[in-house]
Amino acid sequence: MSRTPYTVLISGAGIAGPALAHWLAQADAGFEVTVVERALAPRRGGQAVDIRGAARDVIQRMGLLPSVKAAGLHEHGFAFVDERGKHQASLPMNFMGGEGIVAEIEILRGALSRILYEATRHAVDYRFDDSIESLCQDEDGVHVIFLSGARQRFDLVIAADGVHSHVRALTFGDAHSTSVAPLGGYTAYFTLPFRIETGGWFAIHNAPGGRAIGLRPGGPDTTQVMLSFLSPPVGYERLSADRQKAILTETFAGVGWEMPRVLHVLEHMGSLPDFYFDLVAQVHMEHWARGRVALLGDAGYSPSPVTGLGTSLALVGAYVLAGELVRSGQMHDVAFARYESIMGDYVRQCQALPPGGLQGMLPRSARGIWLRNLSMRMMTRWPVRSLVAGVFHKADAIVLEDYFAPTLPRLTAEVGQLFPRGPGVSLC
Ligand SMILES: Cc1cc2nc3c(=O)[nH]c(=O)nc-3n(C[C@H](O)[C@H](O)[C@H](O)COP(=O)(O)OP(=O)(O)OC[C@H]3O[C@@H](n4cnc5c(N)ncnc54)[C@H](O)[C@@H]3O)c2cc1C
């Protein structure tokens, strides 16, 4: 194996990017890893994400399971509430052994991103507030121009820059333009600067018109909000945050339960630091690599939040891609082909939507909401319970090879301190 540093640039410091960086930087296989992220720091936003099936194994192999569990949400599960906050149906955390709709390990996305960043930042060159403006590859490598004006050559570039990946657009051209498949709605996440009590549940209120508000306390003085609504894809994701807030205000006017307090914040608070708004969509690509550039996580195969598997897929994808790069002795074409072949079926299974898709989660009529709640109540009972089990057990449908030696204790000790308790322009 070559000892010349093999340089890898990863675009995106969300989940997939730092997870890949973790493996490459500690594999002692001569990789020099740079991560470029357009935000000023790891992004805090988002609701709970699930770590299921094989991804739990990946987190364990990374040596991060204790920190992830400590920072995890210790909630009772999901509760669907009416306009007065009365429970209509609930799914407890222990339903289906923690591998059902509610996973055993649920963690705020921002907390997971932070854990992955802290575990890697000493071994990886993180460059925040910058991004790739253009890239061009030849036999010698990938020549990158950054937005900051810097120019640098890398052996490989990995796109981990999410559903709307800029690297995918620069590299895959036509295939990129048809890669995002909208699922019929939008979702926003943000934090309220006060606490709304939900009795230990992630509480969701559906309102007619295909609208839902979800709340969970995020700390002593904060509440995490999720707002989702049905809509054809009309480009809202490209608008300014102020316009997006105005759209939410119009869309959710008249909704009961805690919505008036949320609307008040949307209307009167100038800036919400972790405000996130996006199209609910999947990403489908025929291939995940072209030359020296490969796609990872949501950038290559987002299953969408509807499946609850985006984070798990990103963690497993990062493990397999890193493992194959190490195993191939840095022969990227061999590694990328194996990565696609090992992950292909798994991705296809994880992208299968639950019955009804997004529309099933956001019923349009009061009767539809009533029926959905009824089906949720049935779900906890045999025999419906065994029917739904198959939907979630696909998170385990991959056998992970043993690519790496046990993780270095140095990395996990640093994270333990963080959470001590509880929770194309051509250059060629
Ligand atoms: C702020 C945020 C909140 C989210 N909340 C949820 C949630 O509550 N529930 C859920 O199921 N999923 C959520 N997701 C999506 C979820 O994180 C992913 O589905 C999954 O974890 C796979 O992660 P990823 O690293 O592939 O993509 P992401 O987590 O989307 O990370 C992509 C990263 O790339 C960065 N980036 C984007 N464009 C560029 C660029 N041009 N140059 C450099 N960097 C760039 C982004 O800022 C981000 O940090 C959220 C994503 C984000 C960014």
Side-chain angles (χ1 to χ4, degrees), residues 62-111:
M62 291 171 105
L64 297 177
L65 195 54
S67 346
V68 166
K69 279 192 156 179
L73 295 163
H74 303 284
E75 292 176 341
H76 302 320
F78 277 47
F80 292 93
V81 302
D82 65 14
E83 59 286 347
R84 293 186 312 280
K86 190 161 178 284
H87 283 210
Q88 299 300 303
S90 56
L91 284 178
M93 183 71 87
N94 58 9
F95 168 58
M96 286 167 45
E99 289 294 348
I101 287 187
V102 187
E104 180 203 347
I105 305 181
E106 285 208 309
I107 180 169
L108 288 176
R109 182 208 168 272

Short mmCIF file of all heavy atoms in Angstrom, two decimals, residues 62-111:
data_model
loop_
_atom_site.label_atom_id
_atom_site.label_comp_id
_atom_site.label_asym_id
_atom_site.label_seq_id
_atom_site.Cartn_x
_atom_site.Cartn_y
_atom_site.Cartn_z
N MET A 62 -17.36 2.54 15.72
CA MET A 62 -16.65 3.83 15.80
C MET A 62 -16.24 4.14 17.24
O MET A 62 -15.48 5.08 17.49
CB MET A 62 -17.55 4.98 15.31
CG MET A 62 -17.84 4.96 13.82
SD MET A 62 -19.11 6.18 13.38
CE MET A 62 -18.11 7.44 12.64
N GLY A 63 -16.78 3.37 18.18
CA GLY A 63 -16.50 3.64 19.60
C GLY A 63 -17.34 4.77 20.15
O GLY A 63 -17.05 5.32 21.22
N LEU A 64 -18.42 5.11 19.44
CA LEU A 64 -19.21 6.28 19.83
C LEU A 64 -20.55 5.93 20.46
O LEU A 64 -21.32 6.84 20.79
CB LEU A 64 -19.44 7.19 18.61
CG LEU A 64 -18.18 7.79 17.99
CD1 LEU A 64 -18.55 8.61 16.75
CD2 LEU A 64 -17.44 8.66 18.99
N LEU A 65 -20.83 4.63 20.63
CA LEU A 65 -22.15 4.27 21.14
C LEU A 65 -22.43 4.89 22.52
O LEU A 65 -23.52 5.44 22.74
CB LEU A 65 -22.32 2.75 21.17
CG LEU A 65 -23.74 2.23 21.33
CD1 LEU A 65 -24.69 2.81 20.28
CD2 LEU A 65 -23.78 0.71 21.28
N PRO A 66 -21.47 4.87 23.46
CA PRO A 66 -21.77 5.48 24.77
C PRO A 66 -22.11 6.96 24.66
O PRO A 66 -23.08 7.43 25.27
CB PRO A 66 -20.48 5.27 25.57
CG PRO A 66 -19.79 4.12 24.90
CD PRO A 66 -20.14 4.22 23.45
N SER A 67 -21.36 7.71 23.84
CA SER A 67 -21.66 9.15 23.73
C SER A 67 -22.99 9.39 23.04
O SER A 67 -23.73 10.30 23.41
CB SER A 67 -20.58 9.90 22.94
OG SER A 67 -19.45 9.15 22.77
N VAL A 68 -23.27 8.58 22.02
CA VAL A 68 -24.54 8.76 21.31
C VAL A 68 -25.70 8.42 22.22
O VAL A 68 -26.70 9.13 22.28
CB VAL A 68 -24.54 7.90 20.02
CG1 VAL A 68 -25.93 7.78 19.43
CG2 VAL A 68 -23.57 8.50 18.99
N LYS A 69 -25.56 7.34 22.99
CA LYS A 69 -26.65 6.97 23.91
C LYS A 69 -26.83 8.03 24.98
O LYS A 69 -27.95 8.38 25.35
CB LYS A 69 -26.36 5.62 24.55
CG LYS A 69 -26.70 4.46 23.65
CD LYS A 69 -26.67 3.17 24.43
CE LYS A 69 -27.54 2.12 23.76
NZ LYS A 69 -27.52 0.85 24.46
N ALA A 70 -25.70 8.56 25.47
CA ALA A 70 -25.78 9.58 26.53
C ALA A 70 -26.46 10.85 26.03
O ALA A 70 -27.19 11.51 26.77
CB ALA A 70 -24.38 9.91 27.03
N ALA A 71 -26.25 11.17 24.74
CA ALA A 71 -26.86 12.39 24.19
C ALA A 71 -28.23 12.10 23.59
O ALA A 71 -28.90 13.01 23.10
CB ALA A 71 -25.94 12.97 23.12
N GLY A 72 -28.64 10.81 23.61
CA GLY A 72 -29.90 10.42 22.99
C GLY A 72 -31.10 10.98 23.72
O GLY A 72 -31.00 11.44 24.86
N LEU A 73 -32.22 10.93 23.02
CA LEU A 73 -33.46 11.44 23.62
C LEU A 73 -34.07 10.33 24.46
O LEU A 73 -34.14 9.19 24.01
CB LEU A 73 -34.43 11.83 22.52
CG LEU A 73 -33.97 12.99 21.65
CD1 LEU A 73 -34.78 13.05 20.37
CD2 LEU A 73 -34.09 14.30 22.41
N HIS A 74 -34.46 10.67 25.65
CA HIS A 74 -35.07 9.63 26.48
C HIS A 74 -36.55 9.93 26.58
O HIS A 74 -37.06 10.37 27.60
CB HIS A 74 -34.37 9.60 27.85
CG HIS A 74 -32.89 9.37 27.70
ND1 HIS A 74 -32.37 8.13 27.42
CD2 HIS A 74 -31.83 10.21 27.72
CE1 HIS A 74 -31.05 8.20 27.29
NE2 HIS A 74 -30.70 9.47 27.47
N GLU A 75 -37.21 9.70 25.45
CA GLU A 75 -38.64 10.01 25.37
C GLU A 75 -39.46 8.73 25.49
O GLU A 75 -38.96 7.64 25.27
CB GLU A 75 -38.95 10.66 24.02
CG GLU A 75 -38.36 12.04 23.88
CD GLU A 75 -38.60 12.64 22.50
OE1 GLU A 75 -38.89 11.88 21.56
OE2 GLU A 75 -38.49 13.86 22.38
N HIS A 76 -40.76 8.91 25.78
CA HIS A 76 -41.64 7.74 25.83
C HIS A 76 -41.93 7.21 24.44
O HIS A 76 -42.21 6.03 24.27
CB HIS A 76 -42.98 8.09 26.49
CG HIS A 76 -42.82 8.64 27.87
ND1 HIS A 76 -41.92 8.14 28.78
CD2 HIS A 76 -43.47 9.64 28.52
CE1 HIS A 76 -42.02 8.80 29.92
NE2 HIS A 76 -42.94 9.73 29.78
N GLY A 77 -41.92 8.07 23.44
CA GLY A 77 -42.27 7.67 22.07
C GLY A 77 -43.04 8.78 21.38
O GLY A 77 -42.89 9.96 21.72
N PHE A 78 -43.87 8.41 20.37
CA PHE A 78 -44.70 9.37 19.63
C PHE A 78 -46.09 9.43 20.25
O PHE A 78 -46.63 8.37 20.56
CB PHE A 78 -44.99 8.84 18.23
CG PHE A 78 -43.95 9.06 17.20
CD1 PHE A 78 -42.64 8.78 17.44
CD2 PHE A 78 -44.33 9.53 15.94
CE1 PHE A 78 -41.69 8.95 16.44
CE2 PHE A 78 -43.40 9.69 14.95
CZ PHE A 78 -42.08 9.39 15.20
N ALA A 79 -46.68 10.61 20.31
CA ALA A 79 -48.10 10.70 20.69
C ALA A 79 -48.79 11.62 19.69
O ALA A 79 -48.29 12.72 19.41
CB ALA A 79 -48.24 11.25 22.10
N PHE A 80 -49.91 11.18 19.16
CA PHE A 80 -50.70 12.03 18.26
C PHE A 80 -51.77 12.69 19.12
O PHE A 80 -52.51 12.00 19.83
CB PHE A 80 -51.32 11.20 17.13
CG PHE A 80 -50.25 10.68 16.20
CD1 PHE A 80 -49.69 9.43 16.39
CD2 PHE A 80 -49.78 11.46 15.16
CE1 PHE A 80 -48.68 8.96 15.55
CE2 PHE A 80 -48.77 11.01 14.32
CZ PHE A 80 -48.23 9.76 14.51
N VAL A 81 -51.84 14.01 19.06
CA VAL A 81 -52.74 14.74 19.95
C VAL A 81 -53.75 15.53 19.14
O VAL A 81 -53.51 15.89 17.98
CB VAL A 81 -51.95 15.70 20.89
CG1 VAL A 81 -50.93 14.93 21.72
CG2 VAL A 81 -51.27 16.82 20.10
N ASP A 82 -54.92 15.79 19.79
CA ASP A 82 -55.93 16.59 19.11
C ASP A 82 -55.67 18.08 19.37
O ASP A 82 -54.65 18.46 19.97
CB ASP A 82 -57.35 16.15 19.50
CG ASP A 82 -57.64 16.41 20.98
OD1 ASP A 82 -56.87 17.16 21.63
OD2 ASP A 82 -58.63 15.86 21.49
N GLU A 83 -56.62 18.95 18.98
CA GLU A 83 -56.37 20.40 19.06
C GLU A 83 -56.31 20.89 20.51
O GLU A 83 -55.88 22.01 20.76
CB GLU A 83 -57.39 21.20 18.24
CG GLU A 83 -58.84 21.04 18.59
CD GLU A 83 -59.43 19.69 18.15
OE1 GLU A 83 -58.79 18.98 17.35
OE2 GLU A 83 -60.51 19.36 18.63
N ARG A 84 -56.72 20.04 21.46
CA ARG A 84 -56.60 20.44 22.87
C ARG A 84 -55.40 19.76 23.54
O ARG A 84 -55.20 19.86 24.74
CB ARG A 84 -57.89 20.09 23.62
CG ARG A 84 -59.11 20.94 23.16
CD ARG A 84 -60.33 20.68 24.02
NE ARG A 84 -60.61 19.26 24.21
CZ ARG A 84 -61.22 18.47 23.31
NH1 ARG A 84 -61.62 18.99 22.17
NH2 ARG A 84 -61.43 17.20 23.56
N GLY A 85 -54.65 18.98 22.77
CA GLY A 85 -53.46 18.31 23.32
C GLY A 85 -53.77 16.96 23.92
O GLY A 85 -52.89 16.34 24.54
N LYS A 86 -54.99 16.44 23.71
CA LYS A 86 -55.36 15.14 24.27
C LYS A 86 -54.83 14.02 23.37
O LYS A 86 -55.00 14.07 22.15
CB LYS A 86 -56.90 15.08 24.37
CG LYS A 86 -57.42 13.92 25.13
CD LYS A 86 -58.87 14.21 25.56
CE LYS A 86 -59.47 13.04 26.30
NZ LYS A 86 -59.84 11.94 25.47
N HIS A 87 -54.21 12.98 23.98
CA HIS A 87 -53.65 11.88 23.20
C HIS A 87 -54.74 11.13 22.45
O HIS A 87 -55.74 10.73 23.03
CB HIS A 87 -52.93 10.88 24.12
CG HIS A 87 -51.60 11.38 24.56
ND1 HIS A 87 -50.55 10.54 24.85
CD2 HIS A 87 -51.13 12.63 24.77
CE1 HIS A 87 -49.50 11.26 25.21
NE2 HIS A 87 -49.83 12.53 25.18
N GLN A 88 -54.54 10.93 21.15
CA GLN A 88 -55.47 10.15 20.33
C GLN A 88 -54.89 8.77 20.00
O GLN A 88 -55.62 7.83 19.76
CB GLN A 88 -55.76 10.89 19.02
CG GLN A 88 -56.41 12.24 19.23
CD GLN A 88 -57.73 12.11 19.96
OE1 GLN A 88 -58.63 11.41 19.52
NE2 GLN A 88 -57.84 12.77 21.12
N ALA A 89 -53.57 8.72 19.92
CA ALA A 89 -52.88 7.44 19.65
C ALA A 89 -51.43 7.65 20.05
O ALA A 89 -50.93 8.78 20.02
CB ALA A 89 -52.96 7.09 18.17
N SER A 90 -50.78 6.58 20.45
CA SER A 90 -49.35 6.73 20.78
C SER A 90 -48.60 5.46 20.42
O SER A 90 -49.18 4.38 20.37
CB SER A 90 -49.18 7.07 22.26
OG SER A 90 -49.79 6.08 23.05
N LEU A 91 -47.32 5.65 20.15
CA LEU A 91 -46.44 4.52 19.87
C LEU A 91 -45.27 4.61 20.83
O LEU A 91 -44.42 5.49 20.70
CB LEU A 91 -45.93 4.58 18.43
CG LEU A 91 -46.91 4.17 17.34
CD1 LEU A 91 -46.27 4.33 15.99
CD2 LEU A 91 -47.36 2.73 17.54
N PRO A 92 -45.23 3.73 21.82
CA PRO A 92 -44.16 3.84 22.80
C PRO A 92 -42.80 3.42 22.24
O PRO A 92 -42.74 2.67 21.27
CB PRO A 92 -44.59 2.89 23.93
CG PRO A 92 -45.64 2.03 23.36
CD PRO A 92 -46.18 2.68 22.13
N MET A 93 -41.76 3.91 22.84
CA MET A 93 -40.38 3.63 22.42
C MET A 93 -40.09 2.13 22.34
O MET A 93 -39.40 1.67 21.46
CB MET A 93 -39.44 4.30 23.43
CG MET A 93 -38.00 4.19 23.14
SD MET A 93 -37.54 5.20 21.74
CE MET A 93 -37.21 6.78 22.48
N ASN A 94 -40.64 1.36 23.28
CA ASN A 94 -40.31 -0.07 23.29
C ASN A 94 -41.14 -0.90 22.31
O ASN A 94 -41.00 -2.11 22.23
CB ASN A 94 -40.42 -0.67 24.70
CG ASN A 94 -41.81 -0.50 25.27
OD1 ASN A 94 -42.72 -0.08 24.55
ND2 ASN A 94 -41.97 -0.81 26.54
N PHE A 95 -42.00 -0.22 21.54
CA PHE A 95 -42.79 -0.92 20.53
C PHE A 95 -41.84 -1.56 19.52
O PHE A 95 -40.96 -0.91 18.99
CB PHE A 95 -43.74 0.08 19.85
CG PHE A 95 -44.40 -0.43 18.61
CD1 PHE A 95 -45.18 -1.56 18.64
CD2 PHE A 95 -44.24 0.25 17.42
CE1 PHE A 95 -45.80 -2.03 17.50
CE2 PHE A 95 -44.86 -0.20 16.26
CZ PHE A 95 -45.63 -1.35 16.30
N MET A 96 -42.00 -2.83 19.26
CA MET A 96 -41.13 -3.60 18.35
C MET A 96 -39.66 -3.51 18.74
O MET A 96 -38.78 -3.37 17.89
CB MET A 96 -41.33 -3.15 16.90
CG MET A 96 -42.65 -3.64 16.32
SD MET A 96 -43.12 -2.87 14.77
CE MET A 96 -41.62 -2.90 13.86
N GLY A 97 -39.41 -3.55 20.04
CA GLY A 97 -38.03 -3.63 20.53
C GLY A 97 -37.15 -2.49 20.10
O GLY A 97 -35.94 -2.65 19.94
N GLY A 98 -37.75 -1.31 19.90
CA GLY A 98 -36.93 -0.16 19.52
C GLY A 98 -36.54 -0.14 18.05
O GLY A 98 -35.72 0.64 17.62
N GLU A 99 -37.13 -1.02 17.24
CA GLU A 99 -36.82 -1.01 15.80
C GLU A 99 -38.08 -0.78 14.98
O GLU A 99 -38.18 -1.16 13.83
CB GLU A 99 -36.13 -2.32 15.37
CG GLU A 99 -34.70 -2.45 15.89
CD GLU A 99 -33.72 -1.43 15.30
OE1 GLU A 99 -34.06 -0.74 14.32
OE2 GLU A 99 -32.62 -1.32 15.84
N GLY A 100 -39.11 -0.17 15.59
CA GLY A 100 -40.32 0.15 14.85
C GLY A 100 -40.26 1.58 14.37
O GLY A 100 -39.18 2.12 14.09
N ILE A 101 -41.44 2.25 14.27
CA ILE A 101 -41.47 3.66 13.86
C ILE A 101 -40.59 4.46 14.81
O ILE A 101 -39.88 5.38 14.42
CB ILE A 101 -42.91 4.20 13.87
CG1 ILE A 101 -43.68 3.60 12.70
CG2 ILE A 101 -42.93 5.71 13.78
CD1 ILE A 101 -45.05 4.17 12.51
N VAL A 102 -40.64 4.08 16.08
CA VAL A 102 -39.79 4.75 17.07
C VAL A 102 -38.56 3.87 17.28
O VAL A 102 -38.67 2.73 17.70
CB VAL A 102 -40.54 4.90 18.41
CG1 VAL A 102 -39.73 5.75 19.36
CG2 VAL A 102 -41.91 5.51 18.18
N ALA A 103 -37.38 4.39 16.98
CA ALA A 103 -36.17 3.59 17.12
C ALA A 103 -35.63 3.69 18.54
O ALA A 103 -35.87 4.67 19.24
CB ALA A 103 -35.11 4.08 16.13
N GLU A 104 -34.86 2.69 18.92
CA GLU A 104 -34.30 2.67 20.28
C GLU A 104 -33.34 3.84 20.48
O GLU A 104 -33.29 4.45 21.54
CB GLU A 104 -33.56 1.34 20.49
CG GLU A 104 -32.94 1.22 21.86
CD GLU A 104 -31.79 0.22 21.86
OE1 GLU A 104 -31.64 -0.55 20.91
OE2 GLU A 104 -31.03 0.25 22.85
N ILE A 105 -32.55 4.14 19.44
CA ILE A 105 -31.63 5.27 19.58
C ILE A 105 -32.12 6.42 18.72
O ILE A 105 -32.06 6.38 17.49
CB ILE A 105 -30.19 4.92 19.19
CG1 ILE A 105 -29.72 3.71 19.97
CG2 ILE A 105 -29.27 6.11 19.44
CD1 ILE A 105 -28.29 3.30 19.68
N GLU A 106 -32.67 7.41 19.39
CA GLU A 106 -33.08 8.63 18.72
C GLU A 106 -32.25 9.74 19.32
O GLU A 106 -32.12 9.84 20.54
CB GLU A 106 -34.56 8.92 18.96
CG GLU A 106 -35.47 8.03 18.16
CD GLU A 106 -36.80 8.73 17.87
OE1 GLU A 106 -37.40 9.23 18.82
OE2 GLU A 106 -37.19 8.79 16.70
N ILE A 107 -31.71 10.56 18.45
CA ILE A 107 -30.83 11.63 18.92
C ILE A 107 -31.12 12.85 18.06
O ILE A 107 -31.46 12.71 16.88
CB ILE A 107 -29.34 11.18 18.82
CG1 ILE A 107 -28.40 12.27 19.30
CG2 ILE A 107 -28.97 10.69 17.43
CD1 ILE A 107 -26.95 11.80 19.46
N LEU A 108 -31.02 14.03 18.66
CA LEU A 108 -31.21 15.22 17.83
C LEU A 108 -30.12 15.25 16.77
O LEU A 108 -28.94 14.99 17.08
CB LEU A 108 -31.18 16.49 18.69
CG LEU A 108 -32.39 16.71 19.58
CD1 LEU A 108 -32.22 17.93 20.46
CD2 LEU A 108 -33.68 16.83 18.77
N ARG A 109 -30.50 15.55 15.54
CA ARG A 109 -29.54 15.51 14.45
C ARG A 109 -28.32 16.40 14.73
O ARG A 109 -27.19 16.03 14.46
CB ARG A 109 -30.21 15.93 13.14
CG ARG A 109 -29.28 15.88 11.95
CD ARG A 109 -29.68 16.87 10.91
NE ARG A 109 -28.62 16.99 9.93
CZ ARG A 109 -27.60 17.83 10.06
NH1 ARG A 109 -27.48 18.61 11.11
NH2 ARG A 109 -26.66 17.88 9.13
N GLY A 110 -28.60 17.58 15.30
CA GLY A 110 -27.50 18.50 15.60
C GLY A 110 -26.52 17.91 16.60
O GLY A 110 -25.30 18.09 16.50
N ALA A 111 -27.03 17.16 17.59
CA ALA A 111 -26.15 16.56 18.60
C ALA A 111 -25.28 15.48 17.97
O ALA A 111 -24.08 15.37 18.26
CB ALA A 111 -26.99 15.98 19.74
#
